[in-house]
């Protein structure tokens, strides 16, 4: 047990050293500053995917995370552009708004299971896109553009985060922001899954009727898990809007919602950090396959099917399989 604990601590320290020290140093020495945007996108997509993984953990197939990412982006952009709010204040507000919306939506639809719940959530992303097109406050198809970069964050006169517009390299600042939130997100997920509430959530995945018969409030647990999932989606969408300095109805589509789900499958539904690995592999894998031209989608689909057949528990199950064989 001590060895396992020490190994986990060493792995966490190594990971933090890589993302906060090694990666920035490598990019700085190579001059490939464009990689900051790529890795920032991976970090934010993994946060949204972590929310989808949480709904899988309670036995629900969620294909609607794109709706909350889009909503979070618009909430942040509207508050910054129309009401002069600080970006840092809109970040939690966007997440809480999405969490609140998910509670209202989830109360009726979380009663559904399997493909029925999946189909309803799939529709949510398209509904969010159509609302963004129709509502005057979202500026329709024109979207919201020229969103200013995040300003300084000060507490009691002490500047904790400088104004991004004054930085020589705002891409590095966004990268550090994204990976910091990613680390916090997965730390919260790990703690949640290994807590008493996490064990209760797992019981919903296995047998809801049995869990209910022993006094577990399954309705409450489902709504809480779905709200946390949507919070992650809203926060990631808000940061995406700040990075691109714009948000459009097409910024997050049904395809993005499907990809969030695939990230979880690819990394491993049985592992908290599965969405992180799945996002990294899927993002870079798709870019590598771009060289194949018209065969890109065919090869991509074929590889995904093969991986699901060979590794039904995701890429992270490789380490467990290797350990058992050894």
């Amino acid at each position: 047990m001590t060895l396992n604990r020490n190994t986990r601590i060493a792995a966490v320290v190594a990971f933090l050293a890589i993302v906060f020290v090694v990666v920035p140093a490598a990019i700085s020495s190579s001059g490939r500053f464009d990689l900051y945007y790529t890795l920032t996108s991976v970090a934010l997509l993994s946060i949204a995917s972590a929310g989808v993984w949480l709904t899988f953990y309670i036995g629900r197939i969620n294909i609607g995370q794109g709706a909350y990412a889009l909503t979070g982006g618009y909430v942040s952009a509207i508050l910054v552009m129309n009401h002069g709010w600080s970006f840092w204040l809109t970040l939690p507000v966007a997440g809480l708004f999405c969490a609140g919306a998910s509670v209202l939506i989830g109360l009726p639809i979380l009663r559904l299971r399997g493909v029925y719940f999946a189909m309803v959530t799939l529709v949510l992303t398209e509904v969010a896109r159509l609302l963004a097109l129709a509502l005057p406050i979202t500026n329709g198809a024109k979207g919201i553009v020229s969103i200013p970069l995040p300003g300084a964050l000060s507490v009691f006169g002490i500047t904790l985060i400088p104004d991004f517009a004054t930085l020589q390299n705002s891409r590095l600042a966004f990268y550090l922001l994204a990976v910091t939130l990613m680390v916090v997100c997965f730390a919260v997920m790990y703690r949640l899954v290994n807590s008493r509430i996490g064990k209760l959530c797992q019981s919903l995945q296995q047998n809801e009727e049995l869990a209910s018969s022993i006094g577990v409030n399954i309705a409450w647990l489902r709504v809480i898990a779905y709200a946390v999932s949507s919070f992650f989606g809203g926060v990631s969408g808000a940061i995406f809007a700040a990075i691109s300095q714009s948000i459009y109805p097409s910024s997050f589509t049904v395809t993005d919602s499907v990809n969030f789900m695939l990230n979880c499958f690819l990394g491993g539904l049985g592992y908290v950090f599965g969405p992180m690995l799945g996002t990294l592999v899927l993002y870079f894998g798709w870019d590598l396959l771009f060289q194949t031209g018209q065969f890109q989608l065919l090869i991509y689909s074929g590889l995904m099917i093969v991986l699901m057949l060979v590794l039904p528990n995701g890429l992270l199950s490789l380490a467990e399989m290797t350990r058992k064989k050894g």
Side-chain angles (χ1 to χ4, degrees):
M1 180 64 70
T2 303
L3 179 62
N4 290 337
R5 183 173 182 273
N6 291 338
T7 302
R8 289 197 297 269
I9 293 174
V12 170
V13 171
F15 175 76
L16 294 176
I18 290 172
V19 298
F20 286 108
V21 179
V22 176
V23 169
I27 291 177
S28 179
S29 61
S30 66
R32 288 291 307 276
F33 297 108
D34 57 299
L35 287 176
Y36 278 131
Y37 180 81
T38 301
L39 294 175
T40 299
S41 298
V42 170
L44 295 177
L45 292 173
S46 69
I47 293 173
S49 299
V52 175
W53 184 91
L54 186 58
T55 54
F56 274 113
Y57 198 68
I58 62 169
R60 295 294 185 274
I61 303 173
N62 182 4
I63 324 179
Q65 190 72 322
Y68 297 108
L70 184 65
T71 302
Y74 268 109
V75 168
S76 177
I78 291 169
L79 291 176
V80 169
M81 296 294 289
N82 296 358
H83 302 283
W85 283 35
S86 166
F87 163 77
W88 305 107
L89 187 57
T90 69
L91 201 55
V93 170
L96 291 172
F97 182 91
C98 291
S102 71
V103 170
L104 296 177
I105 296 171
L107 284 172
I109 72 170
L110 282 168
R111 301 173 184 271
L112 304 173
R113 301 185 189 179
V115 68
Y116 303 105
F117 180 81
M119 289 300 100
V120 172
T121 57
L122 182 63
V123 171
L124 285 178
T125 305
E126 187 62 14
V127 169
R129 186 186 72 84
L130 293 175
L131 282 175
L133 278 171
L135 294 176
I137 195 171
T138 60
N139 207 22
K142 295 180 181 179
I144 300 175
V145 297
S146 301
I147 301 173
L149 292 173
L153 175 63
S154 300
V155 178
F156 301 117
I158 302 173
T159 301
L160 301 179
I161 301 176
D163 188 339
F164 280 26
T166 64
L167 297 176
Q168 185 177 2
N169 188 358
S170 61
R171 292 182 180 181
L172 172 59
F174 275 118
Y175 167 77
L176 294 175
L177 170 63
V179 294
T180 299
L181 288 179
M182 180 184 72
V183 169
V184 172
C185 165
F186 280 93
V188 169
M189 289 279 290
Y190 183 82
R191 184 67 189 90
L192 178 63
V193 167
N194 290 280
S195 67
R196 181 174 177 272
I197 294 179
K199 301 304 179 185
L200 292 176
C201 288
Q202 191 175 26
S203 70
L204 301 187
Q205 180 186 138
Q206 296 170 350
N207 193 319
E208 287 191 1
E209 287 74 16
L210 180 59
S212 180
S213 68
I214 60 175
V216 177
N217 190 335
I218 59 175
W220 179 80
L221 282 176
R222 285 192 303 239
V223 171
I224 291 297
Y226 192 49
V228 173
S229 166
S230 304
F231 179 89
F232 289 155
V235 168
S236 63
I239 302 177
F240 260 118
I243 293 174
S244 60
Q245 295 185 271
S246 61
I247 183 78
Y248 299 94
S250 58
S251 293
F252 290 95
T253 62
V254 171
T255 302
D256 296 301
S257 292
V258 173
N259 285 335
F260 291 142
M261 180 185 65
L262 290 177
N263 293 337
C264 299
F265 278 121
L266 185 59
L269 293 179
Y271 306 90
V272 176
F273 302 103
M276 188 189 299
L277 178 61
T279 303
L280 182 68
V281 173
L282 203 59
Y283 194 97
F284 281 99
W286 178 256
D287 284 347
L288 288 173
L289 290 175
F290 183 76
Q291 306 299 326
T292 61
Q294 61 181 336
F295 300 106
Q296 181 184 21
L297 187 58
L298 177 63
I299 297 173
Y300 167 80
S301 304
L303 288 174
M304 287 296 294
I305 292 172
V306 170
L307 281 172
M308 294 302 174
L309 292 174
V310 177
L311 295 170
N313 294 322
L315 293 174
L316 283 178
S317 64
L318 263 176
E320 188 174 340
M321 291 169 59
T322 304
R323 187 169 58 251
K324 286 181 179 179
K325 289 182 180 179

